[in-house]
Amino acid sequence: MEKVPPKLFHDFFRWFCHPELRDHIEGDLIELYREREKESGRSNADIKFIVDVMMLLRPGIIKPTEGYKNLNTHGMYKSYFKIGWRNLLKNKGLFAINVTGLAMGIATCLIIMLFVVDELSFDRYNEKANQIVRVILKGKVNGEIIKEAVTPAPVGPTLKAEFPEVVAATRLRREGSPKITYKNVTYRNNKVALVDPNFFEVFTLPFIQGNPKTALAEPHTIVITQDQAIKYFGDEDPINKLLDFNEPGEQYRVTGIIKDVPANSHFHFNLFVSLEGMAHAKEDNWLESNYYTYVVLAEGTNQAGLESKLPAIIKKYMGPQVARMGMTFEKFTESGNEIGLFIQPVTDIHLHSDTQHSDLEPGGDIKSVYIFAAVAVFMLLIACINFMNLSTAGATKRNKEIGVKKVLGTRRSQLVQQFLTESFISTAGAMILAAILVGISLPAFNQLSGKELVASFLFSPKVMTGLFLLAILITLLAGSYPAFFLSSVKPIAALKNKLTNGGQSKGIRSALVVFQFIISACLIFSMIIVNQQMSYIQDKEIGYDRDQLSVLRESWLLGKNEKAFMNQIMNDPRVESVTMSGFIPAGPTNMSMTGVYTGRQRESFRRTTLYDIDEQYIPTMGMKLLAGRNFSKDSGSDSSNVIINETAVKIFELGEDPVGKALTANTNNNGGTRSLTVIGVIKDFHFRSLHETIAPLIMLNNPSRGLIIRTKTKEMAGLLSSIEDKWKAFHVEEPFSYALLDELYNETYLAEQKMGNILKIFGALTIFVACLGLFGLVTFTAEQRIKEIGIRKVLGANVREIVSLLSRDLIILVAISFVVAFPFGSYLMDKWLQDFSYRIDIQWWVYALAGIATLVIAFLTMSFQTIKSALANPVESLRSE
Amino acid sequence: MKKYQLGEFEEVVMLTVGILHLEAYGVSIKKEIESRLNRNVSVGALQTALKRLEDKGYLKSREGEATEERAGRPKKYFQITALGKRAMEHTKSTRDELWSAIPKMALNLKIVGNW
């Protein structure tokens, strides 16, 4: 009977040892065991055997956990990645195009998503955001449409008193730009608001110091933001310190410090003065609107229901006061007039407000949000389509690989997994690249859009989950064709290369190309229209000459010396003329309006803009008098004479010869009037933005403060610094400041310009990505038809014929896309243009231009590849096989 | 050159495989080293070294006969490959170089010091 080594350890060895090594090591062990057993006995041999087995327990000998004989599928997945990676490297160009295109698409989509989310987040920082509504005033008075964000002072308190569902009402009033002093620190601040004591219970603006409930309860108290606290008080404790308002000459005690107002708020004041104790806040005057009124509704209040009760309030409170103007409220409404209060959720203010110039800050535009969101979605779609297209195209070349695999017994599900893995590698790569692109380009985008977007939002769990799902979706979409169609092919057909150009997939690819170019053509078309409208605004005859005009709005600070300062400037030979007026047709300006009517028809008054000017104004601004005369130099003589614009002539029905006709203007709400005589008619000029039609305007000979200078030099810097020297000679605290009217004018359209620029960039990116796709596709087609091209060349085809052969199909597809693109594009652009009262018409040549541009871009993209294949030596393509 | 690096034990194994020529398999190598160098070699250490050298391409193996004393398990005979030979030569030449670079004095001193 043979002696055998200890069974337990023997089995243990057999279990842990790598199968490839097992047999011969086992042989060695047994050989040694038997020798030792003979030499020094069994127990000694046993011990040595055990020691040997334990010493064999080391990494090189133990079988790998993965198993060496596919006991699980790790190895298979490893091979999917390996083969996938090698395949991608084999088609580097296609891979690069594919990943870059997708990454750009995703990056653009992410950036726009950040923008859109930010736009939609406005005022949602308020805890009661869903309950706060703003009360606005809308109506039609004697033909003039009125839309005001401001309401009369009593509206807030009245609503609170009348309706139980109104939990709280608070008001805010803008306070010009007072000069504020603490010790020897003086600043002019134009972000001062007067607010009701309960303001901070309505809006969630966290206090750093002070109590939100009581801070503004007493008169002459003020709550300031953190940055203002640092500005005025530095390290001192600001609480109970007094801030001096030099104008209007009051002192306010600091009772609270709040954090700076969030960027996504519809107001950004930094000083909040209590309205408590101010006489104008208590006035029961329903005919003057100065207060922004916010109301907190009880939860679950039906807003439409409340709105329907508001006309009764107007009738009850405003009615009697209207009657005092000489006309009963009934008669007022019967003659086609209407005036009403409406409510607007606070979260709608930023994007949906249509209260024109009375909003606290220029808001966003829901239309741009829609346009951008659409661009983002389309961009992503195009990128995904490209990705699918190119993956599909690339995969059809792998028939042979699939055939061989199938012959060797690969199951279909394994092929599906392999293609999906490859698709996943590219998608993951694109995702990472996209994240990098977002990081790099976000600062530039912020500059362009004037936002402060941060990428950290992208790392929130929600977005990350979304991105992950997107990656999976793209993987499935892009990988599905090769995964499910190609894997179903019979191996014999695959090996014979019988389906190199599956007709089915060609149809899908064509459809995808058409879709891409619908979007591209649409974008090119929109870009041309936006550009046209913007240059129309630039070049439009606006009724005055805005070049060479400088505005010194702050010259009123000189007080009595203003006239002397003006004369000094006038003596400069580089100055053509100077006018003293604070009424500027672009940018921030003095404003004044009053009801004006002809004859005795007081009730048919029309709210009319008043301009206080001097005799230099019209020549300095380069405006044109159509009839009558300018004011005379002697300011006293024309005190009741006015110059009116063409629109006013029409509105007041002054007929062919308005000069000498009389007008009456209200001077207050209690029936005070003054009569005016028309001495001149001025050509209409745009004194508001081109979004609005020109309104009636009356110019009075009444020099107001502020200077407008017409210069006749190109050396503006020199002139301005010499004016600055003169300014300093008057020893005013304020630094010299000026603005160029041309720049003020352009700033009015900043939002449109920003939108135009963003659209241009993303439009260009979208088209670029679409072209990448087209390029990839044509490369693929050329490669597939390489033999055909070779044979054709041998038979005498020239380069032009080959190029047209390769591009014809695709060019036809691009042309087909116009059929959908242009009607769609012109519909969208028409909507956009509706916002401008003065706008271009969409002309036929824009379609032609957009079409040709698209075709040229498509053709040039393809020509890289088509010409290359057409020039190739046929020997290269024909020598194999 | 990094790629020719051999460890001390690896070098011993390689040399022994060379000595045994066509007769080098686990047990014979182990015995040869034990008798020549008077040191104990565990089966585990030896087999690990052999596997590593084979993976590196310095040794190649062939399946041998299955004998009675091995309970029917085959022997695995090892042989030095051309690459293995180069690696051994490289190791030797680097050693020689180092030896020749030591100044005589240093060696003498050391010997004196140890004495």
Side-chain angles (χ1 to χ4, degrees):
Chain A
M1 171 83 193
E2 282 286 350
K3 299 284 180 293
V4 289
K7 193 173 178 332
L8 178 67
F9 288 92
H10 191 180
D11 288 349
F12 176 58
F13 167 75
R14 285 193 64 84
W15 174 74
F16 76 70
C17 185
H18 195 295
E20 278 172 10
L21 304 172
R22 189 159 54 208
D23 282 357
H24 74 265
I25 296 181
E26 193 181 9
D28 283 2
L29 285 172
I30 293 170
E31 193 182 330
L32 281 170
Y33 178 80
R34 291 193 177 156
E35 235 168 71
R36 284 170 185 153
E37 200 249 326
K38 274 181 201 139
E39 278 170 21
S40 45
R42 177 151 189 197
S43 57
N44 202 346
D46 278 354
I47 291 170
K48 286 202 168 156
F49 181 85
I50 293 169
V51 170
D52 274 342
V53 167
M54 296 322 283
M55 294 292 276
L56 275 165
L57 204 60
R58 49 175 81 205
I61 309 288
I62 297 173
K63 70 182 170 198
T65 45
E66 297 171 19
Y68 91 112
K69 257 185 195 168
N70 296 335
L71 297 177
N72 57 31
T73 45
H74 291 264
M76 187 176 66
Y77 288 114
K78 241 162 87 180
S79 102
Y80 288 163
F81 275 99
K82 199 172 255 175
I83 290 181
W85 183 245
R86 285 175 185 169
N87 243 312
L88 297 178
L89 289 183
K90 198 171 129 201
N91 301 314
K92 278 189 210 80
L94 208 61
F95 174 55
I97 290 178
N98 221 352
V99 169
T100 320
L102 187 60
M104 277 169 65
I106 295 171
T108 311
C109 187
L110 286 178
I111 288 185
I112 297 184
M113 189 172 77
L114 281 178
F115 174 84
V116 169
V117 166
D118 183 73
E119 285 286 284
L120 295 177
S121 74
F122 265 70
D123 293 299
R124 295 202 188 270
Y125 65 89
N126 291 300
E127 276 163 20
K128 298 173 190 161
N130 293 328
Q131 291 162 262
I132 305 173
V133 297
R134 182 170 78 171
V135 184
I136 56 175
L137 196 67
K138 283 195 213 172
K140 202 172 128 189
V141 177
N142 297 329
E144 186 204 7
I145 308 282
I146 295 171
K147 284 177 186 166
E148 296 282 359
V150 282
T151 60
V155 168
T158 308
L159 293 185
K160 170 92 174 76
E162 290 270 343
F163 300 111
E165 59 264 48
V166 173
V167 180
T170 194
R171 295 170 301 170
L172 180 152
R173 181 180 171 146
R174 246 194 296 209
E175 171 76 26
S177 56
K179 208 154 99 181
I180 302 161
T181 307
Y182 175 73
K183 287 189 181 158
N184 41 18
V185 190
T186 302
Y187 288 109
R188 184 165 294 283
N189 189 331
N190 59 3
K191 289 180 173 174
V192 183
L194 311 179
V195 297
D196 274 329
N198 64 348
F199 188 76
F200 294 107
E201 290 170 60
V202 175
F203 290 98
T204 314
L205 298 168
F207 272 62
I208 296 169
Q209 272 180 284
N211 181 344
K213 288 194 173 136
T214 56
L216 295 178
E218 287 169 42
H220 286 98
T221 50
I222 185 168
V223 168
I224 66 181
T225 56
Q226 209 172 358
D227 69 326
Q228 292 298 305
I230 293 165
K231 204 165 162 184
Y232 282 106
F233 304 106
D235 296 333
E236 288 181 55
D237 179 12
I239 294 293
N240 288 331
K241 295 278 175 358
L242 293 176
L243 281 177
D244 273 310
F245 279 47
N246 305 33
E247 312 124 11
E250 304 257 358
Q251 281 196 324
Y252 294 95
R253 184 163 55 88
V254 178
T255 50
I257 317 239
I258 56 170
K259 285 195 186 146
D260 294 348
V261 178
N264 57 354
S265 169
H266 76 282
F267 58 77
H268 290 97
F269 295 106
N270 51 28
L271 297 180
F272 295 87
V273 176
S274 177
L275 270 172
E276 192 62 33
M278 293 194 182
H280 59 76
K282 295 197 182 105
E283 249 175 59
D284 185 34
N285 181 354
W286 283 80
L287 300 181
E288 205 174 301
S289 300
N290 281 314
Y291 291 85
Y292 295 88
T293 304
Y294 302 91
V295 159
V296 181
L297 302 177
E299 264 177 275
T301 305
N302 178 359
Q303 295 189 1
L306 178 62
E307 211 165 44
S308 69
K309 295 182 217 160
L310 294 179
I313 295 291
I314 288 285
K315 194 173 176 190
K316 183 172 166 189
Y317 293 94
M318 195 186 277
Q321 297 193 8
V322 169
R324 262 186 274 155
M325 302 269 294
M327 179 199 230
T328 63
F329 192 68
E330 283 73 22
K331 212 174 149 204
F332 176 76
T333 48
E334 270 165 30
S335 50
N337 294 322
E338 46 192 296
I339 191 93
L341 294 172
F342 295 85
I343 56 182
Q344 174 184 46
V346 75
T347 48
D348 277 1
I349 292 176
H350 178 67
L351 288 176
H352 297 271
S353 180
D354 59 347
T355 42
Q356 297 166 356
H357 43 89
S358 59
D359 270 320
L360 287 167
E361 283 177 14
D365 180 7
I366 190 71
K367 273 186 207 153
S368 347
V369 171
Y370 286 144
I371 290 176
F372 287 146
V375 169
V377 170
F378 284 141
M379 181 87 181
L380 192 62
L381 262 179
I382 287 190
C384 290
I385 287 172
N386 268 337
F387 190 72
M388 275 178 75
N389 237 342
L390 294 179
S391 307
T392 312
T396 45
K397 281 201 291 193
R398 295 171 60 185
N399 279 330
K400 289 224 167 89
E401 180 194 331
I402 295 166
V404 170
K405 280 199 165 168
K406 284 203 142 187
V407 167
L408 292 177
T410 308
R411 277 195 306 257
R412 190 176 165 195
S413 66
Q414 288 169 326
L415 282 172
V416 169
Q417 282 174 12
Q418 185 195 332
F419 281 114
L420 290 182
T421 310
E422 281 172 30
S423 165
F424 179 74
I425 294 175
S426 308
T427 314
M431 283 278 174
I432 293 165
L433 190 59
I436 296 170
L437 283 178
V438 170
I440 292 172
S441 54
L442 203 56
F445 179 76
N446 279 341
Q447 211 169 11
L448 197 68
S449 65
K451 293 230 169 234
E452 290 162 34
L453 305 176
V454 282
S456 63
F457 171 74
L458 296 177
F459 298 110
S460 68
K462 252 191 224 164
V463 178
M464 287 302 255
T465 319
L467 285 179
F468 183 71
L469 290 179
L470 183 68
I472 301 275
L473 186 72
I474 297 173
T475 303
L476 287 176
L477 282 180
S480 57
Y481 170 77
F484 297 104
F485 175 70
L486 288 180
S487 64
S488 70
V489 167
K490 289 211 169 69
I492 190 86
L495 285 172
K496 275 187 164 173
N497 230 357
K498 263 194 173 162
L499 23 81
T500 32
N501 204 356
Q504 206 182 341
S505 73
K506 199 178 170 198
I508 296 172
R509 282 208 292 275
S510 305
L512 296 178
V513 168
V514 169
F515 180 74
Q516 284 188 359
F517 274 86
I518 288 176
I519 294 165
S520 301
C522 213
L523 275 169
I524 292 178
F525 178 76
S526 311
M527 276 152 63
I528 297 174
I529 296 287
V530 170
N531 226 9
Q532 263 194 311
Q533 174 70 18
M534 292 323 284
S535 61
Y536 171 80
I537 289 173
Q538 277 294 318
D539 303 337
K540 171 140 178 59
E541 189 61 51
I542 48 171
Y544 61 93
D545 181 9
R546 65 175 189 273
D547 295 325
Q548 295 280 332
L549 283 179
S550 306
V551 179
L552 309 183
R553 211 179 303 121
E554 307 275 281
S555 72
W556 59 275
L557 291 164
L558 294 170
K560 280 176 287 178
N561 290 328
E562 195 178 8
K563 192 84 189 169
F565 180 58
M566 175 178 163
N567 289 333
Q568 282 182 12
I569 294 173
M570 213 142 40
N571 290 334
D572 193 307
R574 291 168 290 185
V575 170
E576 175 127 5
S577 60
V578 184
T579 175
M580 194 184 274
S581 174
F583 289 83
I584 309 154
T589 170
N590 290 3
M591 279 259 290
S592 116
M593 284 182 103
T594 191
V596 174
Y597 52 95
T598 45
R600 297 191 160 277
Q601 302 161 286
R602 180 160 194 188
E603 59 279 3
S604 68
F605 76 90
R606 177 72 185 253
R607 284 203 318 169
T608 305
T609 307
L610 301 181
Y611 259 43
D612 290 332
I613 61 167
D614 61 9
E615 81 286 350
Q616 285 297 326
Y617 190 84
I618 292 173
T620 303
M621 297 298 289
M623 294 171 180
K624 214 186 265 171
L625 265 177
L626 295 178
R629 63 173 177 89
N630 193 357
F631 295 123
S632 71
K633 231 180 174 136
D634 176 12
S635 58
S637 69
D638 280 323
S639 62
S640 64
N641 292 344
V642 292
I643 298 172
I644 63 177
N645 70 355
E646 290 173 278
T647 309
V649 174
K650 263 177 250 147
I651 296 277
F652 298 119
E653 294 165 355
L654 296 179
E656 288 293 298
D657 183 24
V659 177
K661 299 250 166 83
L663 289 170
T664 313
N666 292 329
T667 50
N668 58 33
N669 288 324
N670 301 324
T673 60
R674 83 190 261 208
S675 47
L676 307 165
T677 312
V678 177
I679 59 161
V681 177
I682 193 166
K683 190 171 170 6
D684 270 344
F685 67 96
H686 288 272
F687 56 91
R688 287 187 197 155
S689 83
L690 295 180
H691 289 292
E692 296 168 50
T693 46
I694 295 177
L697 175 91
I698 290 179
M699 293 173 144
L700 300 161
N701 186 17
N702 182 21
S704 54
R705 323 202 87 180
L707 294 178
I708 304 172
I709 305 170
R710 173 163 296 279
T711 54
K712 51 179 175 188
T713 174
K714 293 223 163 80
E715 297 293 319
M716 280 306 285
L719 176 60
L720 286 166
S721 74
S722 86
I723 295 179
E724 185 169 4
D725 291 340
K726 289 173 189 133
W727 172 271
K728 280 181 185 150
F730 286 103
H731 302 290
V732 265
E733 290 165 26
E734 241 68 24
F736 174 71
S737 73
Y738 68 93
L740 299 178
L741 193 59
D742 192 40
E743 284 173 9
L744 291 174
Y745 179 81
N746 288 335
E747 274 167 24
T748 318
Y749 307 101
L750 209 57
E752 285 85 2
Q753 256 165 8
K754 274 184 197 158
M755 201 211 86
N757 286 339
I758 296 175
L759 192 67
K760 260 184 230 167
I761 288 176
F762 288 124
L765 280 177
T766 313
I767 293 163
F768 178 71
V769 171
C771 284
L772 273 186
L774 193 63
F775 180 73
L777 210 56
V778 85
T779 308
F780 168 72
T781 322
E783 218 164 287
Q784 279 208 321
R785 297 173 77 171
I786 192 158
K787 291 233 152 66
E788 180 193 337
I789 294 168
I791 292 169
R792 278 176 191 271
K793 284 199 79 170
V794 168
L795 294 178
N798 60 22
V799 171
R800 195 182 52 78
E801 281 162 346
I802 302 282
V803 169
S804 83
L805 171 80
L806 284 173
S807 23
R808 197 193 303 132
D809 287 357
L810 289 170
I811 289 289
I812 290 172
L813 291 181
V814 173
I816 289 172
S817 68
F818 296 161
V819 178
V820 183
F822 289 152
F824 184 57
S826 72
Y827 169 78
L828 282 182
M829 279 298 105
D830 200 52
K831 282 257 169 198
W832 182 74
L833 286 171
Q834 290 303 322
D835 262 4
F836 292 89
S837 294
Y838 299 90
R839 57 180 177 258
I840 52 159
D841 293 319
I842 301 175
Q843 284 156 314
W844 66 268
W845 61 264
V846 178
Y847 298 100
L849 182 64
I852 291 168
T854 315
L855 280 175
V856 167
I857 290 173
F859 186 76
L860 282 180
T861 308
M862 291 189 288
S863 66
F864 283 110
Q865 185 59 42
T866 50
I867 292 175
K868 188 176 139 201
S869 347
L871 289 176
N873 188 343
V875 169
E876 303 286 331
S877 55
L878 292 177
R879 70 178 164 197
S880 63
E881 245 180 74
Chain B
M1 273 209 299
K2 172 103 182 161
K3 63 175 179 176
Y4 285 141
Q5 208 125 55
L6 278 179
E8 190 267 342
F9 186 63
E10 283 176 337
E11 196 186 351
V12 169
V13 172
M14 291 285 287
L15 289 166
T16 316
V17 171
I19 291 165
L20 292 169
H21 193 43
L22 292 174
E23 290 302 318
Y25 76 99
V27 177
S28 69
I29 300 171
K30 178 173 143 69
K31 282 183 181 160
E32 191 71 21
I33 297 174
E34 281 174 345
S35 68
R36 279 180 187 270
L37 301 184
N38 197 20
R39 76 192 227 185
N40 252 325
V41 177
S42 77
V43 178
L46 178 64
Q47 290 295 345
T48 315
L50 285 170
K51 180 168 187 289
R52 199 158 55 226
L53 289 167
E54 195 180 2
D55 288 346
K56 280 187 192 169
Y58 294 164
L59 291 177
K60 60 183 179 193
S61 64
R62 71 192 147 83
E63 199 95 321
E65 73 280 16
T67 55
E68 178 55 30
E69 66 264 31
R70 290 171 67 84
R73 308 284 178 231
K75 284 179 184 168
K76 195 176 187 184
Y77 286 107
F78 290 93
Q79 223 175 324
I80 300 175
T81 62
L83 184 68
K85 189 159 171 273
R86 263 211 299 285
M88 285 164 72
E89 281 163 359
H90 175 77
T91 313
K92 185 167 185 298
S93 68
T94 44
R95 290 280 163 85
D96 290 348
E97 254 169 60
L98 290 173
W99 271 106
S100 63
I102 300 174
K104 282 264 153 45
M105 284 297 281
L107 276 175
N108 286 343
L109 273 179
K110 197 164 182 224
I111 293 165
V112 171
N114 278 343
W115 220 257

